[in-house]
Amino acid sequence: MLQFIRYLPDGAILCHNSDKRKLESIPLLKGESFSFQFSNWRYCTGHFGGGAGYVPCAKPITRGRQCLSCMKSDVLCYKCTGESCFMPGMAESCAKGEWSIYLAIIGDLSKVGVTSRERVETRLLEQGADYGMELARVTGGLESRKAERVIADLLGAKMVVSKKKKLDSLGAPLPLEKAQEIAAGAKEKLAAYLEQPTESELISFISHYPKAMGAAELMEDLSLGGKFLGKKGTFLFFESNGGKYVAEMSSFEGRMIDIADDACQAEGNSVAINRLHV
């Protein structure tokens, strides 16, 4: 049996195959057909904590994607506030790591976040950013979280953008000139406080996303299928019977999934964990 774990940045879906006891990545290719049937019930997606790789669970749950035990055992870096470490075993490597504070422009909203240096563009795609840029580089995980809050306050930007706000922004990106004004304003405001990466420039991600996204109808059924058009953040776009639809894939996390085409590509745990990190 397959359990849907996460929608990956490259458009594939990450599943746990309980029969083979491993994670599998199932690619979605633009223009090709797919068919997913999700279960009514939701189960815990397990955790990636403790240095043991992926640990499945599958306890029945009614909300979220994890049971309380797995939430406590998971790699909780995304919950870090910069005050203390959730994962003491990772503290040493985290303190030596290089982290990037980024600006994501989603519709008309500006968001500040933090990610590891090598994942800036990947993280912006995970966020579904229309435009984005690196604002600062910080050594140490706790220090980067503190810097994230300070920079967000200085810019008056959000640190979290809701799924509804992202849905409302589909098909309505700012003109490039306006995004460039926001980026230039952010650089100017931060110039007095920190040294910014000299090579940092605003990047447009609009070409990565399907066209006419605003015309897509939200599909919340447990049965999804049609011709895959592409993705934006956690949103999957597809065409079926002449209509265009969008599904918010994180709402299906933890459900069992039946896939018409069962061709799966095995994905090593280390790759999957890297993709799911902040």
Side-chain angles (χ1 to χ4, degrees):
M1 295 183 66
L2 290 176
Q3 182 188 20
F4 176 52
I5 303 297
R6 198 73 58 86
Y7 197 24
L8 297 175
D10 60 4
I13 62 170
L14 183 68
C15 297
H16 179 247
N17 187 324
S18 59
D19 294 330
K20 297 181 180 179
R21 298 183 180 181
K22 66 178 182 179
L23 293 172
E24 294 181 341
S25 174
I26 300 166
L28 291 175
L29 302 179
K30 190 175 293 186
E32 294 197 359
S33 297
F34 72 96
S35 178
F36 298 156
Q37 179 65 52
F38 294 97
S39 65
N40 287 306
W41 298 101
R42 189 188 300 272
Y43 305 89
C44 176
T45 56
H47 67 271
F48 289 85
Y54 176 66
V55 180
C57 176
K59 292 178 183 175
I61 54 175
T62 57
R63 56 166 48 182
R65 61 184 181 84
Q66 289 175 301
C67 66
L68 183 60
S69 176
C70 285
M71 286 181 65
K72 291 180 178 180
S73 302
D74 210 345
V75 177
L76 296 171
C77 299
Y78 67 93
K79 294 185 178 180
C80 177
T81 63
E83 301 301 325
S84 60
C85 183
F86 283 100
M87 299 292 291
M90 297 175 62
E92 183 176 351
S93 60
C94 183
K96 295 177 181 178
E98 295 293 322
W99 304 86
S100 292
I101 314 298
Y102 63 83
L103 172 70
I105 301 174
I106 305 170
D108 60 356
L109 298 174
S110 295
K111 176 189 182 299
V112 168
V114 62
T115 187
S116 54
R117 279 278 305 279
E118 68 275 8
R119 293 191 80 251
V120 176
E121 290 192 28
T122 298
R123 186 59 181 155
L124 287 165
L125 284 170
E126 287 175 344
Q127 296 280 309
D130 298 312
Y131 307 94
M133 66 182 296
E134 187 181 28
L135 294 173
R137 293 174 184 172
V138 181
T139 299
L142 296 181
E143 289 76 11
S144 70
R145 286 301 191 183
K146 292 176 183 177
E148 176 191 22
R149 294 204 312 273
V150 171
I151 290 173
D153 287 342
L154 287 172
L155 300 183
K158 295 182 177 296
M159 292 175 63
V160 177
V161 176
S162 69
K163 295 176 186 177
K164 183 181 184 305
K165 291 288 187 182
K166 290 184 178 182
L167 182 63
D168 292 343
S169 75
L170 292 179
L174 290 176
L176 177 59
E177 295 77 11
K178 180 62 177 177
Q180 289 173 330
E181 288 179 12
I182 293 174
K187 282 187 172 183
E188 184 177 350
K189 287 180 180 178
L190 296 179
Y193 299 94
L194 53 87
E195 182 178 350
Q196 298 167 44
T198 55
E199 70 274 24
S200 177
E201 296 292 340
L202 185 73
I203 303 171
S204 172
F205 294 96
I206 293 175
S207 63
H208 289 263
Y209 307 136
K211 296 180 179 179
M213 291 181 293
E217 179 183 347
L218 180 64
M219 179 70 74
E220 298 180 283
D221 292 352
L222 295 178
S223 180
L224 304 177
K227 183 171 72 173
F228 178 60
L229 300 178
K231 68 165 293 182
K232 185 179 194 286
T234 59
F235 294 105
L236 181 155
F237 295 85
F238 63 100
E239 187 175 43
S240 179
N241 297 321
K244 289 184 170 61
Y245 301 91
V246 56
E248 204 289 298
M249 293 299 284
S250 67
S251 64
F252 300 106
E253 290 176 352
R255 298 182 188 274
M256 297 301 172
I257 180 173
D258 183 29
I259 301 173
D261 180 3
D262 61 358
C264 301
Q265 292 183 342
E267 187 81 44
N269 283 358
S270 60
V271 176
I273 291 172
N274 181 60
R275 282 175 168 165
L276 299 179
H277 273 174
V278 171

